[in-house]
Amino acid sequence: MKEFQYCFFLPQLFPSVNFVVFGQFLIRGESFMVSAITVNHLNVSYHGNDAIQNVSFSVSPGKLVGIIGPNGAGKSTLLKALLELIPRDTGEILMEGKDISEVRKRIAYVPQRSNIDWDFPITVIDTVLLGTYPNLGIFKRPKKKEKALANNCLEKVGMGEFANRQIGELSGGQQQRVFMARALAQQADIFFLDEPFVGIDVSSEKTIVTILKELRDSGKTVLVVHHDLSKANDYFDELILLNKELIGVGEVEKVFRSEILAKAYNTQFPFFKEIEVQL
Amino acid sequence: MSFIDAVFQYEFLQKALLTSTMVGILCGVIGCFIILRGMALMGDAISHAVLPGVAISYALGVNFFLGAVLTGVLTAIGIGFVSQNSRIKNDISIGIMFTAAFALGIVLITLMKSSTDLYHILFGNVLAVRPSDMWITLGIGLFVLSTIYLFYKELLITSFDSTMSAAYGLPIKWIHYFLMTLLTMVTVASLQTVGIVLVVAMLITPAATAYLLTERLWIMLYLSAGFGVISSVIGLYFSFTYNLSSGATIVLVSTFLFLVTFSFSPKHGLLWRTLKSKRKKKELANQPKIMLKEN
């Protein structure tokens, strides 16, 4: 069924390609897939200062991808540029082969914890319920169905008993799990997480990683901005290594090598040689 | 004659009561969103910025509502423009733009009209509410409340997590300016009751009082509206009985409610917080001894 859907919009994407070719793709069935995210020659700047320079990559669906790089490498900027939350200077971004405006509601975004007002008068369950908003029409309120979904998602991250707490009363790890539940409640196909493991406890980190891997296994695409090199090779299938420019992209085994990592990090860490030994 | 007898007897007092109740509800509800978005200063700015609009409307002989909304929204846009296009931060930008608008308004009004009008606009005179003013207030009230009811979901999520809202496609900039428009309308509705200078108190104080009492936005909205109404009615009583400026008495009542809540709120009040931390210190003071014995 999926192959048929792809063949419907493919002609619009590559109008110059001969139709016979599509027949072959159809016959080969699963070997062909539209990439989840395609970025071509992306440039982003803040007031004339380069933040991202000529970055191109593509991510296949069903991959768990880490965006890593040193501080100020433009990781969060890349995530925001992908969502068109900040304007880009040049370049093309396609999600599932389409313009982002067509797929926005199927992208779940988990912001950095520091961007949230934790004193806001909202309970844990109502925070998760926000995840159902993108799929509710205008003027529509969440009903029983949405509330059941939110409860389910909250149980999944092991926070069911905290449903009626105010979000500021939770620990950092619990807060992050609640936001993970909110992303789940959006029932999205693409997940963007900005530094989800900063300042959280080990068991929360484990819970979130497990969920991300489950999402990946069910065919969702997950992008995670991650600053900590130590676990990058355990957590992710693919890496996007960034330091304003794209340093490396691809499967973890190919990118997570000291000589490639050094290219991204050694300008910031003169002592990188020592870390390299450990790697 | 008691206040209640007077209410039944005098039509002007009935109008004043109705208008100030509506203003209490309106300011209370819109104020919640203002303080949760960290825009308390913006409320102050917009309320002052309607003054030149009111003056221009008088001069042109049109309803002052039109001019007020126009200059209010223009000032909001100006504030945003300056802070987004320079290193000037938002609070500085607010300080520059609203004082400029307010000063312009004072000049225009003194040029055109007697200073008594200026006094009433600045400080309000609810006992002189005309029927047309009352209907404007009611009309604005119905419009603002039904808009907030309809867009509650969007207002909630953009106030709490604007990045997620933008990520899923909500036009957060337009929602901001839309809220500014509603704020301007509420200010206009409050002109007669509390006046331009003190309307910011009605926007912030009841909402802040409610903020100390609940962890749910919709309860906060109701509580805040309730505090707004209580302040308006009791303030009106004092204003009528002792012949005081209605704006001032209403604001003082709402401040009193805030101070009581600030001291005694069950969860966030000063008293309970102090008691709780004292109890904790006592607990901790007892614990180390036991641990030492175990060692």
Side-chain angles (χ1 to χ4, degrees), chain B residues 198-241:
Chain B
L198 290 177
V199 66
V200 65
M202 286 306 284
L203 288 168
I204 293 171
T205 313
T209 313
Y211 183 57
L212 290 176
L213 288 170
T214 178
E215 312 292 9
R216 285 173 176 81
L217 177 60
W218 64 272
I219 298 180
M220 181 176 163
L221 290 173
Y222 280 106
L223 280 177
S224 179
F227 288 130
V229 172
I230 293 172
S231 313
S232 295
V233 174
I234 298 181
L236 191 62
Y237 164 77
F238 281 118
S239 169
F240 176 77
T241 317

Side-chain angles (χ1 to χ4, degrees), chain B residues 75-90:
Chain B
T75 309
I77 293 172
I79 288 167
F81 184 81
V82 169
S83 63
Q84 278 158 25
N85 291 293
S86 68
R87 64 186 297 186
I88 301 283
K89 301 235 162 34
N90 209 36

Side-chain angles (χ1 to χ4, degrees), chain B residues 149-185:
Chain B
Y149 177 78
L150 286 175
F151 293 101
Y152 175 78
K153 194 169 76 196
E154 284 72 20
L155 286 169
L156 165 63
I157 196 165
T158 51
S159 303
F160 176 59
D161 187 350
S162 63
T163 321
M164 178 197 169
S165 323
Y168 88 78
L170 283 185
I172 51 171
K173 249 192 193 157
W174 285 108
I175 292 175
H176 168 79
Y177 286 117
F178 183 64
L179 196 63
M180 290 299 104
T181 313
L182 293 185
L183 179 60
T184 319
M185 293 166 85

Side-chain angles (χ1 to χ4, degrees), chain A residues 85 104 109 111 116-117 119-123 127 130 133-134 136-141 164 166-167 169 182, chain B residues 36 149-154 156-157 159-161 163-164 166-169 211 214-217 220 267:
Chain A
L85 295 178
R104 264 186 193 290
Y109 175 71
I116 299 295
D117 170 16
D119 285 329
F120 198 92
I122 191 167
T123 57
T127 308
L130 297 179
Y133 282 17
L136 283 172
I138 199 161
F139 304 145
K140 290 220 174 101
R141 299 285 172 89
N164 291 316
Q166 194 265 338
I167 46 162
E169 296 169 27
R182 185 180 77 171
Chain B
L36 289 176
Y149 177 78
L150 286 175
F151 293 101
Y152 175 78
K153 194 169 76 196
E154 284 72 20
L156 165 63
I157 196 165
S159 303
F160 176 59
D161 187 350
T163 321
M164 178 197 169
Y168 88 78
Y211 183 57
T214 178
E215 312 292 9
R216 285 173 176 81
L217 177 60
M220 181 176 163
K267 205 165 166 189

Side-chain angles (χ1 to χ4, degrees), chain A residues 245-256:
Chain A
E245 305 164 39
L246 189 69
I247 308 291
V249 61
E251 285 164 27
V252 169
E253 303 83 59
K254 287 180 188 156
V255 178
F256 205 74

Side-chain angles (χ1 to χ4, degrees), chain A residues 168-181:
Chain A
E169 296 169 27
L170 308 178
S171 73
Q174 292 171 328
Q175 290 172 342
Q176 198 66 55
R177 279 192 270 162
V178 170
F179 273 69
M180 188 69 239

Side-chain angles (χ1 to χ4, degrees), chain B:
Chain B
M1 184 180 357
S2 80
F3 180 66
I4 294 168
D5 289 336
V7 168
F8 282 112
Q9 199 162 345
Y10 298 121
E11 210 192 321
F12 78 91
L13 205 52
Q14 291 163 11
K15 274 190 222 125
L17 199 63
L18 197 65
T19 314
S20 51
T21 306
M22 197 70 202
V23 166
I25 295 173
L26 270 182
C27 287
V29 169
I30 203 101
C32 289
F33 291 105
I34 301 297
I35 70 162
L36 289 176
R37 287 167 167 252
M39 298 197 316
L41 260 179
M42 198 68 173
D44 199 18
I46 300 297
S47 59
H48 282 75
V50 302
L51 190 60
V54 172
I56 294 167
S57 309
Y58 269 131
L60 298 177
V62 296
N63 193 318
F64 65 91
F65 177 69
L66 292 171
V69 171
L70 187 74
T71 52
V73 173
L74 276 181
T75 309
I77 293 172
I79 288 167
F81 184 81
V82 169
S83 63
Q84 278 158 25
N85 291 293
S86 68
R87 64 186 297 186
I88 301 283
K89 301 235 162 34
N90 209 36
D91 57 337
I92 308 174
S93 174
I94 288 173
I96 297 168
M97 299 309 270
F98 98 80
T99 45
F102 193 55
L104 179 68
I106 292 176
V107 169
L108 287 176
I109 286 200
T110 7
L111 279 179
M112 292 181 287
K113 278 266 178 180
S114 67
S115 54
T116 28
D117 278 318
L118 181 62
Y119 186 84
H120 281 170
I121 293 170
L122 293 186
F123 300 107
N125 182 11
V126 72
L127 300 178
V129 168
R130 288 166 303 186
S132 66
D133 297 333
M134 187 185 75
W135 291 118
I136 286 180
T137 305
L138 287 182
I140 292 175
L142 282 180
F143 176 76
V144 172
L145 290 179
S146 50
T147 320
I148 287 177
Y149 177 78
L150 286 175
F151 293 101
Y152 175 78
K153 194 169 76 196
E154 284 72 20
L155 286 169
L156 165 63
I157 196 165
T158 51
S159 303
F160 176 59
D161 187 350
S162 63
T163 321
M164 178 197 169
S165 323
Y168 88 78
L170 283 185
I172 51 171
K173 249 192 193 157
W174 285 108
I175 292 175
H176 168 79
Y177 286 117
F178 183 64
L179 196 63
M180 290 299 104
T181 313
L182 293 185
L183 179 60
T184 319
M185 293 166 85
V186 170
T187 308
V188 174
S190 319
L191 276 185
Q192 288 280 339
T193 321
V194 282
I196 284 177
V197 176
L198 290 177
V199 66
V200 65
M202 286 306 284
L203 288 168
I204 293 171
T205 313
T209 313
Y211 183 57
L212 290 176
L213 288 170
T214 178
E215 312 292 9
R216 285 173 176 81
L217 177 60
W218 64 272
I219 298 180
M220 181 176 163
L221 290 173
Y222 280 106
L223 280 177
S224 179
F227 288 130
V229 172
I230 293 172
S231 313
S232 295
V233 174
I234 298 181
L236 191 62
Y237 164 77
F238 281 118
S239 169
F240 176 77
T241 317
Y242 300 103
N243 196 23
L244 297 164
S245 158
S246 60
T249 53
I250 290 173
V251 169
L252 283 178
V253 173
S254 78
T255 314
F256 174 77
L257 291 176
F258 172 77
L259 287 176
V260 170
T261 314
F262 174 73
S263 310
F264 302 110
S265 158
K267 205 165 166 189
H268 304 289
L270 197 61
L271 185 70
W272 285 111
R273 280 198 168 182
T274 325
L275 280 180
K276 261 197 245 166
S277 57
K278 269 198 180 154
R279 206 180 298 156
K280 190 81 197 167
K281 271 182 198 157
K282 252 189 194 167
E283 265 178 42
L284 288 175
N286 291 332
Q287 265 175 1
K289 286 177 200 160
I290 303 163
M291 281 168 68
L292 278 176
K293 269 180 198 168
E294 279 175 0
N295 282 338

